[in-house]
Amino acid sequence: MTPGDENDYGEPTRTDEGHRYGGTRLRLPEDDPYGGARRTARGPSRTMVTVVGVVVVLIAAIAFANRGGDDSSSGPSASTGGGKPNATSTTPTGTKPVRTKTGGIPVGYAHTSQGAQSAAANYAVALGSADMFLTDLRHQIVDTVYTPDAAAAKQTALDTAYTSATFLSNIGLAKDGTAPDGQTFVSRVIPVGTKATAATSSRATVEVWYTSLFGLSGAASTNPVSESWFTTTYQLSWVDNDWKITDFQQKDGPVPVGRDQQASTADDMTKAVEEFGGFTYAR
């Protein structure tokens, strides 16, 4: 993550970016206005059941969107060995990844393993953002982060997945992907680290470990913003002097033990999402 990105890159970052959600433990305050969201000690609440259902639907949507991927698009594998990684392979470099953006998405990465990792981290943020639920912005994101061939192949499938009336209804969004009046849709990915497992001059395989925020903040929300953890493996190709995605696979975790912290009120969550911008990430 590059310090001072809000000054160096010159473009405001959308405050609702991120991705998906799952079952971390929450303790809500007694006066929290999240309607119907409280859990009891007797067992899972109605909201918890809804949360699990939405996660299943979203996983299915992404799987559908990526169905039929060509395994040949991934780069050659490389053994990472059984030992621990060198310190230099996990520490941040502090190198700025890019100085240009397309539609707010950082592009123009170095033709190196570090450049591929920076690309994967920033593309994960874009693909996990609330913009993916708005047709025009989704098309722009897909055209920016995927290779031209992959973008053409996936665009229709992604449209089908993200405009499913059942899916949108389950997560509380309108048919056009917008949040109800008085509520804020939060979908934001926060990369924790990256790892290149294979790299050549034309292809790279990069794993991105990240946490995500997903849900609706607002007084009437029954799907409050919650967090989950995932690792996504991206296959990237060097196309037109930049790293672009050809395919990806996602899995749960690693998931840390959650602290027994009191969850914020809907108002505090909405304010935080609106006031805290995102970052441009660098390996």
Side-chain angles (χ1 to χ4, degrees):
M1 183 171 62
T2 304
D5 287 319
E6 65 275 16
N7 295 325
D8 292 340
Y9 292 94
E11 291 188 22
T13 304
R14 285 184 60 88
T15 58
D16 55 0
E17 294 186 351
H19 197 209
R20 304 175 55 167
Y21 69 125
T24 52
R25 181 175 58 177
L26 298 175
R27 186 180 68 185
L28 300 179
E30 294 300 324
D31 58 349
D32 181 47
Y34 282 81
R38 185 175 310 283
R39 302 179 187 178
T40 67
R42 297 180 180 178
S45 68
R46 183 177 180 181
T47 297
M48 183 58 187
V49 174
T50 301
V51 166
V52 173
V54 170
V55 171
V56 172
V57 171
L58 186 55
I59 290 175
I62 297 301
F64 174 81
N66 287 280
R67 184 173 57 186
D70 185 357
D71 291 339
S72 65
S73 64
S74 61
S77 61
S79 174
T80 56
K84 295 181 179 180
N86 295 327
T88 55
S89 69
T90 56
T91 54
T93 63
T95 302
K96 292 185 181 299
V98 294
R99 289 191 177 277
T100 58
K101 290 186 178 183
T102 296
I105 303 172
V107 295
Y109 295 90
H111 194 187
T112 62
S113 173
Q114 288 186 3
Q117 292 179 67
S118 297
N122 288 296
Y123 293 164
V125 172
L127 288 169
S129 70
D131 287 348
M132 287 292 289
F133 291 80
L134 305 176
T135 301
D136 291 343
L137 295 178
R138 179 174 61 256
H139 289 176
Q140 181 175 313
I141 291 171
V142 172
D143 287 339
T144 300
V145 307
Y146 279 96
T147 64
D149 289 345
K154 293 182 182 296
Q155 200 71 266
T156 299
L158 287 168
D159 284 345
T160 300
Y162 279 94
T163 58
S164 166
T166 301
F167 172 50
L168 293 173
S169 176
N170 284 344
I171 60 176
L173 298 181
K175 292 181 179 180
D176 61 355
T178 59
D181 290 342
Q183 299 183 39
T184 300
F185 177 47
V186 181
S187 184
R188 184 184 293 196
V189 159
I190 307 97
V192 176
T194 62
K195 177 177 66 173
T197 58
T200 68
S201 62
S202 60
R203 295 179 177 177
T205 302
V206 177
E207 295 182 11
V208 181
W209 179 36
Y210 61 92
T211 183
S212 66
L213 304 177
F214 191 95
L216 288 166
S217 66
S221 173
T222 57
N223 296 317
V225 179
S226 57
E227 71 168 333
S228 55
W229 291 80
F230 300 95
T231 297
T232 296
T233 301
Y234 290 97
Q235 284 80 45
L236 302 102
S237 290
W238 185 253
V239 177
D240 295 331
N241 294 315
D242 204 1
W243 290 109
K244 299 295 182 181
I245 298 171
T246 58
D247 205 354
F248 72 88
Q249 298 81 39
Q250 180 180 282
K251 64 180 181 180
D252 290 346
V255 181
V257 175
R259 293 185 61 188
D260 190 16
Q261 291 180 290
Q262 179 171 289
S264 299
T265 65
D267 287 343
D268 286 344
M269 181 60 67
T270 299
K271 183 178 180 181
V273 170
E274 291 175 346
E275 293 182 354
F276 286 85
F279 295 93
T280 296
Y281 290 86
R283 171 64 183 89

